[in-house]
Amino acid sequence: FLDELSALVQAPFIMMPPSASPPFYPASREAFARVFDGFTGQLEEKGAVRMAWQEINLEVLTQHKILANNVGLAYNANDEIVYETISVYLLYRDDDGWKIAVFSPYDFANRLAFKES
């Protein structure tokens, strides 16, 4: 999972936690893995066995930049929702394809809605 996820990340990769903590970029692949291991560990503690995207919104900014917003739901073995998350991403296209440059989960109550073009 982390190898696949790492392939989608553009270095430097900026993470912006929903808390008052300042934005940061993991200094190494190991630091990046620790952050996501912590997240997946929290999901496992809640009984999550799978995660699915309920909603994905994209706003094309340029031919090389996209702003993405998604709602993710984690389900337990009984197919009950045990966790909801919402995040905004800035994606950048380079010679190898699209990469995530910025990842920022945020409060569900402040859900973004992109305008229809």
Side-chain angles (χ1 to χ4, degrees), residues 15 19 43-44 46 79 89 93 98:
M15 300 182 82
S19 65
L43 291 178
E44 289 170 357
K46 296 175 187 282
D79 218 27
Y89 304 80
R93 184 171 62 187
W98 289 98

Side-chain angles (χ1 to χ4, degrees), residues 8 13 22 24 53 57 62 67 74-75 98 103 107 110 115:
L8 298 174
F13 171 68
F24 69 97
W53 304 122
N57 296 294
T62 72
L67 192 60
Y75 296 88
W98 289 98
F103 166 69
D107 291 336
N110 297 331
K115 294 186 280 185

Side-chain angles (χ1 to χ4, degrees), residues 57-90:
N57 296 294
L58 303 173
E59 185 69 32
V60 177
L61 303 176
T62 72
Q63 67 181 17
H64 294 281
K65 292 180 191 171
I66 291 178
L67 192 60
N69 189 56
N70 73 358
V71 175
L73 303 175
Y75 296 88
N76 64 16
N78 296 324
D79 218 27
E80 300 165 325
I81 297 171
V82 295
Y83 181 79
E84 295 177 307
T85 186
I86 191 165
S87 300
V88 66
Y89 304 80
L90 179 63

